[in-house]
Amino acid sequence: MDEQTSILKNQLYAACEDACRDNPERFFSQEDLMALDVVPPKDVKKLLQIIQILTRERLFAPVHFHSGLAWRLRPEAEAAKYKHLTSEDQVLVYEIIDAAGAEGAWQQDIKKRLNLQDNALRKALKELETKRFIQQFTTVENMSKKMWIKFGMQPSARATGGPWYTDQYLDEAFIDTLQAVVVRIIKDRGSYRSTGERGARSVSPVLPKKGIIRGGQSEAAMKSKKRAADAISKDDVSRPTAPAFKARGTVRLPLPAGYTGYPTAEEITAEIVSMHIAKGQPLKTEHVQELLDILIWENRIEEVKTGDRVGYRAVRVSKQHPDMVKLDSEDFWEPRINGLTTVPCGKCPVFELCEEGGPVWAGGCEYFDKWLL
Amino acid sequence: MLVLYGQLPSRIFADLLTRGRSTVAQLAQHTSLNQRQVRHGIAVLIQLNLIFHFTDQDSGITYYDANPHAAYNLVRTGKILDMVREKYGSDAYTLVNEVLIQGHTKISDLIAAFKKVRIAEPHTVNGVSQNGHHHSNGNGVSNGTSDIKVRDEDVDTEDQAYDSLSQLIAAGILEPLTLAMYQSPQDLRSTIEQDFLANHYPTGIRGAKQTAEFDKYVREKLREFHLENTKLKNDLEFELENGAGSKRRKLTNGDTANTLTNDRVKSILLENRDTVLRVNYDKCVVELRNLKLERYVEDLIGDTTAKVYATLLDVLSRKISRCQVDRLIEVEDENDDASTGPRVTAQEIFEHLNPSIDVSVGLGMLHEDGAIDIRHAEKIRRFPPQLKGSTLKETLQEGEEIVESDDEDYDPSGEAAANFGLYGQNGSDEIKMQADDSVPIGTKRLHQMRQHLLILAESKEGFLRHCGSRDFGEWTVDFEPLMQHLKFLELDTLIENRFGRRGLRLTRILREKGKIDDKTLPSLALMKKPDVHVKMAEMEMAGFLDVQEVPRDNNRAAARTIFFWFFDLERTLQRTLDNTYKSMVRCLQRLDVERRKKASVLSVAERKDVQGMEEEKLRGDIYNEYVQFLDLEKKLLGQIGKLDDIVAVFRDF
Ligand code: SF4
């Protein structure tokens, strides 16, 4: 390697480092490298020579790209590791694991790609592991796969399953808690909490007016309220009937049409993040969206579109418990029922066998006996 | 149910159901009854409108055919009577009950029967509520006063009868019976067709033009048959609507002043005293649908909104004679449908709103000012949503975006109200400031009522469509997509009840995404793979899900097979309906068995000298047993009523 080449090599590497400061994972095609203006234009031969050297020194890692061959930069410290590899097998295996990055490499894949004997592969892996170059990990996608990753590297979210997984196990308790939190936020911001008696009986038909301070407990306000109530009962032929409110008194009421404040996925995410409930993995909007989808599938919430804004509100809000409850709890809401949920036949395990003269029938069936008691 | 009318008719009916149309001779042979008995049975069935008959003009042979729908309707008798009493009062109840017992009856006979009932029991019929539904429709005409006052004067009783009867006919609950009604719709149609061919095209029709002419003629003719019996209804309706006395009479609760209208109505009925009446189930089902929809809104939104909705439906359904479009008569959507369908204005609804409904409650107050997009809330949708496939969710909105000229199409009534400080709702316990004092109470009330309409129009289920801005807004209900939504809701209710929240979650994912393999599903549902498999297997066993195996190679090893789960919506809906029928039958079987067990007690209780005074006449222990049986019967009949609700939603509404 002449001196000029050596200088060019260092310049090219430095230029690449600069170019991928924003995105360390960036690939360089031959044209990209040429465009860095280090190697004299048109001197493709020189460029290829330099690339070859850099690759040999492990500073460039070749990547097979859909448009052809490209290279990824390898930091010098990383490149130096290759110097400690003592066998060809170790190098080949390490290259694959290195290239796999945070996704990791499956032992079976490595074997197939290198066409190595089991013994040889295992030996190489063992040696690399003792050198603390690589480590084994499990992916939630398939717990039985033997996966390898560079030592000290954090497996990708796909491998760990994101925030829903704790030590490779789906953390259902955590999911349920977050779901309950999401429902509470949606209820709080998309319905009105009315506390019982006074609200239940006839409240004056008076409405909040812009520009006037609301909630004034002054005597005047009280009086004017009263007067309005009198006025209406005089107007009416009969007394207003009190709607049958639940024993618990407090209920949630739906908000008027056109309400624009139903919380969006982003807003809900922000609120959860500010509550610091989510441990470990950061919670992103896409994760909250997954929870929202599930709540929609469970008929707990629904989407409300106002222009471009997609908000969420609670379904059957007046039947839901007005405060935060776990979704599985008995008094989350009054469950919906219909004829088939109340008749014993609706849940009967021998429904198909049941007929007059058959092994079971309505006339002598124990499910009915119990039900009629 | 039919057994109520005797063994004989029920055997004949069963035979007609299984074998299809038959002659008297055939029936006699199959049922091993003699022809005289068969004729007698048939007479009863015709009287009850349970069978059609048709005489072939050439051979003179008469064929009989079962009308299974009419038979099913017997299950609804209790509900219909409850509805009639609630809405039209106890006199109407007596009249309709009489018609139901008789199957059909002449007006003069009906009036006579009414008088007899009233004289026999001066106290208002204290009918046993047959199916445990107690529905309070605040808007019914309540004849409270006449219930209490015992009027034994003949004339008064008669006037009451005419009064109620005219209302029932005008509303369409009772209708004149015409000969065409004895024929099955197919027979009626083919008779018309043959007539037309014989008179106009003895050699048969050719070409598109003649076919079109033929179709048009048949349709017109069918429509004529339908209109034939609406004259009486229209006449009465006209008198009641325009008569000065009608409104006042309603308000003063049955203190019948012999107004001009009453006389006019009575004379119309007297002129038609030989007209035969029957119960118009189509119209009754419309009324039952209104009640059911009110209950849905009560459940999904709230009871004040439900009452407003009930008022709206009541006004709207005066223009609706049946739930489902009669495909034989109506031309398939000739795009005028959207603009000419029945609609009501907020003004009309408001006029019918029962003063006892407090519309100022039931909706929440806003957390902050300016949180309402009035134009969005008041958005006018001129066209009904498109019904596409199984998932209505997205199509509802997409369908509109095509035809809508966005923002500009909104009802300005809301903005006007906002200027008075009338927008938004309260219903809270907080103290609010007084709105502009100059706004009359009535206007406030109207706008408060509108809030409930708007929230209905905004609902996912599509309870209401805000379709115009005349008179504070025009409103209509797109029943077809709405009922589709409600079918899904009932299905979901069933699935959640049987398989829990997670079972519902899984089936909904499949419904939305179609076929899914057993690897993708757990990650979408955020559930553990084994849990998913257990749930899916459970639901598959119960027939709610299907699984398809796609082997990845030829030797079909389980490990190399992909399992695709899917949810066949149509089939599941059909299955649910079938299972509902079966469950109803089982309740009836059980009731029958229980009845036989208590046969001795019941036979005593049903003796003429005991009836009505069971408590005094029966021995203590027998009386207890009798009461126990009544409870049990009530429970079973109530259950049948609830199952019938499902049938109605899935099939009839
Ligand atoms: S009658 Fe009894 S055995 Fe038959 S389906 Fe109903 S519950 Fe099951």
Side-chain angles (χ1 to χ4, degrees):
Chain A
M1 182 168 33
D2 55 52
E3 198 169 328
Q4 191 218 352
T5 315
S6 170
I7 291 169
L8 276 178
K9 185 202 82 179
N10 289 340
Q11 281 176 341
L12 186 66
Y13 187 79
C16 286
E17 270 187 319
D18 268 357
C20 64
R21 190 138 293 151
D22 293 337
N23 174 15
E25 295 300 310
R26 168 171 177 188
F27 301 132
F28 294 92
S29 67
Q30 194 178 311
E31 290 79 43
D32 294 338
L33 292 171
M34 204 52 138
L36 291 171
D37 278 343
V38 177
V39 182
K42 300 225 167 63
D43 196 351
V44 179
K45 209 168 142 228
K46 187 95 228 160
L47 180 70
L48 288 178
Q49 191 201 346
I50 295 172
I51 291 174
Q52 213 182 2
I53 299 166
L54 282 166
T55 310
R56 206 184 315 123
E57 291 179 5
R58 310 272 171 203
L59 289 166
F60 267 20
V63 186
H64 293 279
F65 211 46
H66 52 79
S67 53
L69 201 57
W71 292 268
R72 194 165 49 84
L73 224 54
R74 189 177 280 133
E76 279 175 278
E78 282 293 317
K81 284 193 182 165
Y82 281 84
K83 300 210 179 82
H84 302 285
L85 301 181
T86 46
S87 74
E88 180 69 2
D89 283 353
Q90 281 181 23
V91 173
L92 292 171
V93 170
Y94 188 69
E95 256 178 342
I96 290 177
I97 296 171
D98 186 15
E103 295 297 328
W106 181 24
Q107 184 161 329
Q108 211 61 30
D109 261 353
I110 304 175
K111 189 182 149 193
K112 233 188 273 164
R113 280 175 58 186
L114 297 179
N115 211 357
L116 272 180
Q117 289 295 319
D118 246 355
N119 282 345
L121 177 63
R122 248 181 272 142
K123 180 161 167 275
L125 287 168
K126 188 96 218 133
E127 287 162 356
L128 287 166
E129 198 178 10
T130 11
K131 285 193 166 102
R132 296 172 53 95
F133 275 22
I134 60 170
Q135 69 192 32
Q136 214 179 330
F137 75 105
T138 36
T139 165
V140 296
E141 287 184 337
N142 191 334
M143 311 260 281
S144 57
K145 275 186 180 176
K146 271 197 178 141
M147 300 291 293
W148 296 93
I149 194 169
K150 277 202 293 183
F151 191 84
M153 192 165 212
Q154 189 65 40
S156 72
R158 208 178 85 194
T160 57
W164 310 135
Y165 287 82
T166 306
D167 308 328
Q168 288 87 48
Y169 286 98
L170 188 68
D171 192 344
E172 285 180 293
F174 177 58
I175 293 171
D176 279 358
T177 313
L178 269 190
Q179 268 190 303
V181 171
V182 169
V183 170
R184 200 201 70 196
I185 294 174
I186 290 176
K187 263 198 297 205
D188 272 355
R189 299 186 45 180
S191 68
Y192 183 85
R193 193 169 180 279
S194 159
T195 47
E197 303 96 46
R198 273 199 294 167
R201 255 181 282 117
S202 155
V203 181
S204 72
V206 189
L207 293 151
K209 217 177 127 201
K210 261 191 191 161
I212 300 179
I213 308 125
R214 219 189 291 139
Q217 297 272 357
S218 70
E219 241 178 32
M222 296 289 273
K223 260 189 215 149
S224 71
K225 180 189 165 180
K226 205 162 194 159
R227 200 172 54 229
D230 288 350
I232 199 153
S233 57
K234 245 179 259 154
D235 215 28
D236 285 349
V237 175
S238 54
R239 282 165 41 81
T241 45
F245 267 80
K246 324 250 144 49
R248 58 176 180 258
T250 303
V251 283
R252 293 231 167 230
L253 297 174
L255 291 176
Y259 181 61
T260 51
Y262 295 117
T264 64
E266 287 78 21
E267 290 166 3
I268 297 168
T269 312
E271 191 160 338
I272 296 179
V273 168
S274 75
M275 286 154 77
H276 303 290
I277 330 172
K279 41 177 186 180
Q281 305 254 2
L283 201 65
K284 301 212 191 86
T285 307
E286 69 219 53
H287 302 129
V288 172
Q289 190 64 55
E290 283 181 61
L291 296 178
L292 290 169
D293 287 345
I294 285 173
L295 288 166
I296 289 178
W297 288 324
E298 289 178 352
N299 280 346
R300 263 49 175 181
I301 61 168
E302 62 187 15
E303 235 179 54
V304 193
K305 281 193 187 133
T306 333
D308 291 337
R309 186 186 166 92
V310 180
Y312 295 89
R313 72 173 166 207
V315 168
R316 288 178 84 225
V317 70
S318 61
K319 306 284 167 186
Q320 294 202 7
H321 193 286
D323 301 307
M324 181 168 171
V325 232
K326 290 217 89 175
L327 272 81
D328 275 326
S329 97
E330 284 271 308
D331 55 350
F332 170 76
W333 64 3
E334 285 172 51
R336 267 194 62 86
I337 52 164
N338 63 30
L340 278 175
T341 67
T342 50
V343 76
C345 308
K347 277 191 189 176
C348 175
V350 290
F351 189 89
E352 304 296 336
L353 302 174
C354 172
E355 60 180 327
E356 203 167 346
V360 274
W361 78 295
C365 125
E366 55 185 291
Y367 305 105
F368 258 115
D369 290 347
K370 241 185 262 157
W371 186 75
L372 283 171
L373 269 185
Chain B
M1 279 314 242
L2 262 181
V3 183
L4 291 177
Y5 299 96
Q7 274 300 328
L8 194 70
S10 92
R11 254 163 84 184
I12 295 171
F13 189 79
D15 192 66
L16 280 174
L17 264 186
T18 43
R19 290 179 205 267
R21 63 165 49 190
S22 319
T23 62
V24 170
Q26 285 167 331
L27 280 171
Q29 199 185 356
H30 297 148
T31 53
S32 1
L33 296 165
N34 64 39
Q35 292 212 6
R36 199 183 53 80
Q37 290 170 313
V38 171
R39 287 226 164 76
H40 174 72
I42 281 179
V44 174
L45 290 170
I46 289 180
Q47 170 82 23
L48 294 169
N49 242 300
L50 290 174
I51 54 175
F52 296 120
H53 60 81
F54 171 74
T55 309
D56 189 78
Q57 279 170 345
D58 301 330
S59 60
I61 297 173
T62 302
Y63 297 92
Y64 301 93
D65 207 347
N67 178 356
H69 257 83
Y72 181 88
N73 281 337
L74 295 176
V75 174
R76 286 204 183 126
T77 311
K79 252 183 231 175
I80 289 174
L81 285 171
D82 279 353
M83 176 274 290
V84 167
R85 184 183 10 226
E86 203 60 63
K87 193 169 168 191
Y88 301 94
S90 60
D91 290 343
Y93 171 90
T94 310
L95 288 168
V96 173
N97 192 22
E98 196 59 35
V99 177
L100 281 169
I101 293 169
Q102 299 296 331
H104 56 240
T105 169
K106 270 200 293 198
I107 288 185
S108 52
D109 294 347
L110 184 56
I111 299 287
F114 179 85
K115 283 199 266 184
K116 227 166 95 192
V117 171
R118 278 290 179 271
I119 289 162
E121 32 175 327
H123 307 287
T124 306
V125 199
N126 192 3
V128 188
S129 176
Q130 305 218 14
N131 52 13
H133 291 282
H134 225 74
H135 202 86
S136 82
N137 176 358
N139 203 32
V141 182
S142 86
N143 285 354
T145 341
S146 56
D147 284 357
I148 302 158
K149 284 183 196 163
V150 183
R151 297 167 181 263
D152 33 20
E153 282 169 64
D154 219 29
V155 193
D156 257 358
T157 314
E158 200 173 299
D159 280 348
Q160 283 171 30
Y162 281 118
D163 194 32
S164 274
L165 188 57
S166 62
Q167 281 185 36
L168 287 169
I169 298 174
I173 299 289
L174 295 178
E175 65 177 355
L177 182 76
T178 59
L179 269 179
M181 288 177 187
Y182 284 120
Q183 291 188 26
S184 71
Q186 296 88 327
D187 284 339
L188 184 60
R189 193 185 169 90
S190 60
T191 311
I192 295 171
E193 286 175 357
Q194 274 157 23
D195 254 23
F196 181 76
L197 288 178
N199 293 335
H200 300 265
Y201 297 100
T203 52
I205 46 170
R206 257 176 244 103
K209 193 166 153 263
Q210 288 185 5
T211 315
E213 193 191 334
F214 173 74
D215 282 348
K216 187 158 168 260
Y217 175 85
V218 172
R219 220 166 18 236
E220 288 291 312
K221 205 70 193 172
L222 281 168
R223 206 187 306 238
E224 254 172 56
F225 273 113
H226 265 259
L227 290 179
E228 194 185 309
N229 65 341
T230 53
K231 188 180 173 305
L232 181 60
K233 170 180 168 24
N234 292 342
D235 288 351
L236 290 170
E237 220 173 357
F238 178 83
E239 289 298 336
L240 292 176
E241 285 276 314
N242 296 304
S246 64
K247 237 169 221 159
R248 184 150 32 90
R249 200 189 57 241
K250 269 187 199 168
L251 288 179
T252 48
N253 273 345
D255 236 351
T256 324
N258 263 330
T259 58
L260 196 60
T261 312
N262 284 2
D263 289 342
R264 295 265 287 277
V265 161
K266 187 171 169 184
S267 76
I268 294 177
L269 288 172
L270 281 172
E271 273 165 43
N272 288 282
R273 68 168 80 78
D274 288 333
T275 303
V276 178
L277 295 177
R278 71 161 185 181
V279 170
N280 177 5
Y281 282 99
D282 284 343
K283 180 66 186 188
C284 290
V285 171
V286 173
E287 303 259 7
L288 293 180
R289 177 173 69 182
N290 290 351
L291 294 179
K292 184 71 188 167
L293 285 174
E294 182 190 348
R295 287 219 295 270
Y296 275 117
V297 171
E298 196 275 317
D299 180 56
L300 293 167
I301 301 177
D303 44 2
T304 311
T305 310
K307 282 178 194 146
V308 172
Y309 194 48
T311 312
L312 175 140
L313 288 170
D314 187 30
V315 181
L316 185 71
S317 63
R318 290 175 196 190
K319 302 168 188 170
I320 300 174
S321 59
R322 53 189 303 154
C323 286
Q324 284 160 9
V325 184
D326 189 345
R327 300 275 176 215
L328 287 176
I329 300 177
E330 302 301 330
V331 195
E332 294 275 322
D333 299 329
E334 265 179 12
N335 58 19
D336 57 352
D337 204 21
S339 46
T340 58
R343 47 173 69 189
V344 291
T345 66
Q347 185 75 51
E348 285 176 83
I349 304 165
F350 188 62
E351 278 160 18
H352 289 89
L353 190 70
N354 189 314
S356 68
I357 302 172
D358 181 1
V359 284
S360 72
V361 297
L363 289 183
M365 200 199 55
L366 296 178
H367 300 268
E368 66 262 25
D369 278 339
I372 292 283
D373 180 342
I374 292 189
R375 291 190 175 205
H376 187 263
E378 298 274 355
K379 190 159 166 178
I380 286 173
R381 296 157 205 271
R382 300 203 184 274
F383 298 93
Q386 245 54 44
L387 247 187
K388 269 187 241 140
S390 56
T391 41
L392 283 153
K393 199 173 146 246
E394 296 305 321
T395 50
L396 281 180
Q397 278 124 10
E398 277 163 16
E400 280 144 24
E401 261 144 31
I402 306 165
V403 285
E404 239 164 342
S405 56
D406 67 10
D407 273 9
E408 280 149 46
D409 236 2
Y410 73 98
D411 186 340
S413 324
E415 279 185 345
N419 292 337
F420 291 120
L422 280 181
Y423 213 85
Q425 260 285 358
N426 62 0
S428 66
D429 37 357
E430 278 175 52
I431 314 290
K432 246 90 53 191
M433 298 315 288
Q434 177 76 279
D436 213 328
D437 267 340
S438 59
V439 179
I441 296 278
T443 312
K444 268 185 216 159
R445 195 166 147 77
L446 170 71
H447 283 285
Q448 283 161 351
M449 182 197 79
R450 279 186 95 257
Q451 288 302 311
H452 292 279
L453 296 178
L454 291 174
I455 195 92
L456 283 163
E458 199 190 63
S459 67
K460 263 263 139 31
E461 293 77 13
F463 281 111
L464 203 56
R465 179 156 57 83
H466 194 169
C467 60
S469 54
R470 195 168 55 90
D471 284 345
F472 303 103
E474 293 167 273
W475 315 81
T476 188
V477 181
D478 301 310
F479 289 105
E480 222 181 309
L482 171 59
M483 292 324 294
Q484 190 77 334
H485 254 295
L486 298 177
K487 263 187 227 177
F488 297 160
L489 179 66
E490 294 303 348
L491 186 61
D492 287 350
T493 303
L494 185 62
I495 292 175
E496 185 173 353
N497 181 269
R498 264 186 92 162
F499 307 107
R501 185 159 75 86
R502 290 186 173 75
L504 176 61
R505 183 194 299 184
L506 292 167
T507 54
R508 285 287 299 270
I509 294 176
L510 291 180
R511 241 187 286 166
E512 192 178 305
K513 313 243 172 205
K515 283 184 191 174
I516 292 188
D517 68 277
D518 57 350
K519 296 228 160 49
T520 319
L521 196 50
S523 64
L524 276 173
L526 282 187
M527 283 169 69
K528 287 188 184 127
K529 218 192 265 175
D531 293 352
V532 171
H533 285 187
V534 169
K535 252 301 159 245
M536 297 304 264
E538 194 188 327
M539 291 194 282
E540 195 210 346
M541 292 257 286
F544 282 85
L545 283 183
D546 293 285
V547 67
Q548 186 187 359
E549 297 175 28
V550 180
R552 274 191 286 193
D553 50 27
N554 281 335
N555 50 32
R556 300 181 164 263
R560 305 278 298 154
T561 301
I562 311 178
F563 292 90
F564 284 101
W565 298 100
F566 62 101
F567 186 91
D568 186 337
L569 185 67
E570 274 314 308
R571 226 193 59 188
T572 312
L573 287 173
Q574 187 54 47
R575 243 185 87 96
T576 307
L577 181 57
D578 288 347
N579 287 353
T580 313
Y581 290 138
K582 283 186 192 155
S583 305
M584 282 172 100
V585 170
R586 285 162 199 176
C587 287
L588 284 168
Q589 281 176 346
R590 184 68 186 215
L591 183 57
D592 204 35
V593 169
E594 298 292 336
R595 213 171 249 148
R596 266 184 274 150
K597 275 195 224 157
K598 297 275 155 78
S600 59
V601 177
L602 290 177
S603 68
V604 182
E606 271 155 24
R607 257 174 27 208
K608 274 265 169 328
D609 57 323
V610 181
Q611 237 176 27
M613 304 183 270
E614 289 86 357
E615 191 162 5
E616 297 93 71
K617 298 256 170 145
L618 291 179
R619 216 176 59 211
D621 54 335
I622 296 191
Y623 178 71
N624 283 345
E625 254 184 85
Y626 176 67
V627 169
Q628 260 170 25
F629 173 77
L630 286 186
D631 276 353
L632 186 144
E633 181 184 57
K634 201 167 140 203
K635 194 163 180 190
L636 281 165
L637 288 176
Q639 185 57 50
I640 291 169
K642 281 187 212 148
L643 287 163
D644 170 55
D645 278 353
I646 298 181
V647 173
V649 170
F650 275 56
R651 192 189 71 181
D652 302 322
F653 285 167

